Structure formats: C-alpha cells, structure tokens
C-alpha cells in the first residue's frame, strides 16, 4: 500500500511571495488586523466579506508573524483561517483543504529553521550504547538519537527542533525523517546490535499509511524487524491511548519490539504500561539520578524493577552518570543500563567505556 500524499509530499517552507488570505473570526479582530497592517505598511485589500488579502514579498511573513503575535491573543490567531497562494493565482474551492489556522502559519514562519534542516538534509543520527547491567562490556543495543546541523556545522539538540516543529504542524515530518534516518545510518555504520528507534505517537495519524515509509526503510536495510525496538517517547502527551495501541499492534504484527520510555515519571506511564504490554521499559533518568543515595527514589525504583521482572518485561535504566548508580541498578535487578558513564551519544557509534 502506497503512503498518503502527506508522506510523499511533506509541506515546504511558507512562500515569501504571493498573497496571504486571512479570514479572522470576528469583526472586532478584522478591525484590529486592518490597523496592524496599516501601521506596518503592508499592502492589503478586502478580498471578500470577512477575508483580507495581503500582498507578500520577501520578509513580510516574518514581520507579520511578529506584529500579529503582539496584537492578538493565542485564541484569536488560532481561530483565524489562513492560506498562501503563489503570485497571480486566485484561490479555488480545492484550496480550501490547504487552509490552516493563522497560528499554525505564524508558527511555521518561526519554525522555518527545522524545516530548512529537513529540506537541506542537515539532520544526522547519534548513537548511544545500551549495555548489560551485569556486564557493561556487552553492548545489547544502540539508541538512535536525532541531531540537527546548523549553517555553521554545529550540532543542534532535538529538543529545540521538536519544540519549534510542534506548533508549526511539522512534528509529523520531523519525526518521520528521524525514524528513516536512524534506520539508514544504523545500516551505514554496520551496527550488529539491536537498535532503539524513537517515535512520537502524536505524529502518526494512521499507522498503515504514516509508517509505510518507515517500513520501506527497514525492508531496504539488512536488519530484520526483530533487531529493531520502537521506543514510545513523550508518553505524557498521549491523550488517545486506543490510537497508540493501534500503532503498537501495527509494529508488533510486523515483528518489531516495543519500548516504553520514562517509566516512573508518573502514574500515566504505569497506566500506559498496562495498556501497551511493552517488551522493554526505560526507567526515567530523574528516577535513576542519585538512586543509590536517595531512599525515596530507591524504593520507587525497586518496586518498578520488581514489577517489570514479574511481568517478564526487560528494564533499561537511562541517564546513568556515576558508577554508584550503575552498581545499585545492577544489584537491584536492572537488565540494561545507558548513560554518559558508559558513553555519550556519538557518530560513529561509540565503544562503551567497559568494552
């Protein structure tokens, strides 16, 4: 089954030229918008009742984004509909499917830089080893971690990229690119261990369509599905558990294994564990940090490790930075450990300190 048009044709950068059509939700909002446009010197006209047509040129969208952000509440810009069309083109009925909230358009302008990174191929993958807790010389897997590369060649952390992509409606595209790149670069480096590939469940609409390109990347690689563990990230953002279960079922039917990130970060993660029945759970780094000297953390971590062992779910403790943390985790039943104490994320995949 072929991927949907969104997968094949991800949205590009907002056009710098053409016409921006905006339909504010209320007469009062339209009045303020006219005032802002006059103050900023933006040429515009009343295209139709309730619709303003703003002539675009280089830099105007960015200027408008800042001016509208100051003049309107988040609700007003979210409720206003917006559409950018090329120069000389009149909007048609078919263009209705391309309208978006003015807030999303403004966010896409502010989020131009991660979009440019995707477009220009300035994304890369770093790898962090996951080692046996009882024998850290044995690499069980590598987690694939997205990194951006700015115009000066410096690395950009994924947090800022995803933070900018989410309100711009680009989370789907960035998460998709990260999954595909992880599989391709793991293959290029000849990784023989398992690989953990992160995915954000809120970026997947329909697993059959949205994950088709990810499946194709796996099929084109020498790895088998059993070698790949798809890791649910940002589980605290999950609102539709049934939808997430459908995604997990899709992965499982294809032969992949599943990991749940940040277990111990709250009740919600324990509830998700019950619904997803993962193959691996990862102890939250906040729980791991200083666990050897904090009685409360130690009690919680002990119960989580005991629970996972009884359910036959493998455990990975992430964020290990000190030898005392590792030894406590190994003594208390953790299966695998991960963190800067063994190796920082890097490319090519690093050799852990105890190897």
């Amino acid at each position: 089954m072929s991927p949907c048009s969104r997968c094949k044709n991800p949205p590009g950068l907002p056009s710098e030229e053409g016409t921006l059509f905006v339909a504010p939700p209320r007469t009062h909002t339209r009045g303020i918008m006219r005032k802002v446009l006059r103050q900023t010197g933006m040429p515009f006209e009343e295209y139709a009742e309730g619709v303003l047509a703003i002539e675009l040129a280089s830099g105007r969208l960015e200027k408008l984004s800042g001016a509208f952000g100051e003049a309107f509440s988040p609700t007003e810009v979210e409720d206003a509909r917006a559409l950018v069309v090329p120069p000389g083109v009149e909007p048609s009925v078919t263009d209705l499917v391309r309208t978006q909230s003015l807030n999303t358009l403004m966010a896409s302008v502010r989020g131009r830089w991660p979009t440019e990174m995707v477009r220009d191929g300035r994304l890369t993958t770093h790898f962090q080893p996951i080692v046996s807790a009882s024998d850290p010389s044995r690499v069980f897997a590598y987690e694939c971690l997205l990194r951006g590369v700015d115009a000066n060649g410096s690395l950009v952390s994924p947090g800022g990229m995803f933070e900018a992509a989410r309100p711009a409606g680009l989370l789907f595209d960035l998460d998709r690119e990260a999954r595909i790149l992880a599989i391709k670069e793991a293959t290029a480096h000849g990784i023989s261990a398992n690989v953990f590939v992160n995915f954000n469940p809120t970026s997947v609409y329909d697993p059959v369509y949205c994950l088709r390109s990810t499946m194709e990347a796996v099929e084109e690689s020498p790895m088998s599905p059993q070698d790949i563990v798809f890791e649910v990230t940002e589980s605290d953002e999950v609102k539709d558990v049934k939808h997430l279960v459908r995604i997990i079922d899709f992965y499982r039917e294809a032969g992949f294994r599943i990991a749940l990130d940040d277990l111990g970060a709250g009740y919600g993660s324990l509830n998700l564990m019950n619904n997803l029945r993962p193959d691996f759970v990862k102890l939250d780094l906040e729980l791991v940090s200083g666990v050897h000297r904090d009685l409360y953390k130690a009690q919680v971590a002990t119960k989580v490790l005991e629970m996972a062992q009884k359910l036959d779910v493998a455990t990975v403790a992430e964020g290990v930075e000190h030898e005392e943390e590792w030894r406590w985790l190994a003594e208390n039943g953790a299966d695998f450990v991960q963190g800067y104490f063994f190796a920082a994320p890097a490319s090519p995949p690093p050799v852990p300190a105890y190897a």
Side-chain angles (χ1 to χ4, degrees):
M1 183 176 291
S2 62
C4 66
S5 59
R6 175 68 183 270
C7 298
K8 293 187 293 185
N9 302 296
L13 299 171
S15 176
E16 290 279 354
E17 306 286 340
T19 305
L20 167 63
F21 293 90
V22 183
R26 290 176 291 276
T27 302
H28 172 71
T29 308
R30 287 195 294 276
I32 297 177
M33 189 168 289
R34 293 188 191 97
K35 182 179 179 180
V36 171
L37 290 170
R38 293 189 185 101
Q39 290 175 340
T40 54
M42 296 285 176
F44 73 97
E45 64 177 9
E46 306 282 342
Y47 180 77
E49 185 177 355
V51 180
L52 302 178
I54 305 166
E55 184 181 332
L56 296 180
S58 179
R60 284 182 181 172
L61 262 180
E62 187 172 357
K63 185 176 180 181
L64 275 176
S65 177
F68 286 167
E70 293 179 2
F72 301 111
S73 69
T75 301
E76 287 176 305
V77 291
E78 182 63 35
D79 290 345
R81 304 305 300 173
L83 173 68
V84 177
V85 299
V89 175
E90 291 291 320
S92 64
V93 173
T94 56
D95 288 319
L96 291 175
V97 298
R98 297 196 297 112
T99 64
Q100 57 189 317
S101 77
L102 180 58
N103 186 49
T104 299
L105 177 64
M106 290 164 52
S108 67
V109 174
R110 294 190 297 269
R112 181 181 295 272
W113 61 275
T115 310
E116 291 174 337
M117 284 185 174
V118 174
R119 182 198 64 187
D120 299 341
R122 289 189 287 114
L123 298 177
T124 188
T125 303
H126 279 201
F127 302 88
Q128 187 172 39
I130 298 172
V131 301
S132 168
S134 60
D135 180 8
S137 67
R138 184 170 66 87
V139 176
F140 170 72
Y142 280 94
E143 181 177 358
C144 304
L145 299 164
L146 180 67
R147 296 290 185 269
V149 181
D150 67 18
N152 298 317
S154 300
L155 290 177
V156 179
S157 70
M161 289 189 288
F162 281 103
E163 184 178 347
R166 187 188 301 277
L170 299 169
L171 181 63
F172 171 94
D173 306 284
L174 186 58
D175 198 64
R176 169 182 169 273
E177 289 296 319
R179 294 193 304 269
I180 295 172
L181 188 65
I183 294 164
K184 289 183 176 180
E185 294 201 4
T187 298
H189 287 295
I191 293 177
S192 58
N194 300 288
V195 292
F196 278 56
V197 178
N198 296 322
F199 82 96
N200 188 314
T202 60
S203 73
V204 178
Y205 308 127
D206 182 332
V208 174
Y209 288 94
C210 296
L211 298 177
R212 182 64 260 173
S213 54
T214 304
M215 297 299 103
E216 289 174 352
V218 174
E219 291 165 3
E220 293 169 1
S221 78
M223 293 185 287
S224 69
Q226 190 64 20
D227 298 327
I228 300 173
V229 180
F230 282 103
E231 181 175 332
V232 181
T233 62
E234 297 194 27
S235 57
D236 58 319
E237 296 290 333
V238 174
K239 301 296 187 293
D240 188 346
V241 176
K242 290 183 179 179
H243 176 61
L244 176 54
V245 170
R246 287 194 295 272
I247 299 172
I248 297 303
D249 287 345
F250 177 85
Y251 277 132
R252 278 215 173 95
E253 289 171 7
F256 302 100
R257 289 178 289 174
I258 302 299
L260 178 59
D261 196 16
D262 292 342
L263 191 69
Y267 169 78
S269 62
L270 292 175
N271 192 37
L272 272 182
M273 182 177 178
N274 173 56
N275 283 282
L276 302 184
R277 312 293 170 93
D279 303 285
F280 302 87
V281 292
K282 300 188 78 172
L283 274 68
D284 176 57
L285 60 86
E286 290 296 329
L287 182 60
V288 169
S289 178
V291 67
H292 60 289
R293 62 173 182 268
D294 188 313
L295 178 61
Y296 283 82
K297 286 186 178 184
Q299 285 293 321
V300 174
T302 297
K303 294 303 180 183
V304 169
L305 292 169
E306 289 177 353
M307 175 184 63
Q309 189 174 43
K310 290 178 181 178
L311 294 173
D312 197 27
V313 177
T315 51
V316 181
E318 58 183 350
V320 178
E321 296 188 358
H322 303 284
E323 181 176 355
E324 295 83 0
E325 294 166 351
W326 158 50
R327 294 197 181 280
W328 186 97
L329 291 160
E331 292 169 1
N332 286 274
D335 296 302
F336 305 103
V337 284
Q338 172 185 4
Y340 279 70
F341 179 68
F342 305 102
S347 181
V351 176
Y354 279 78

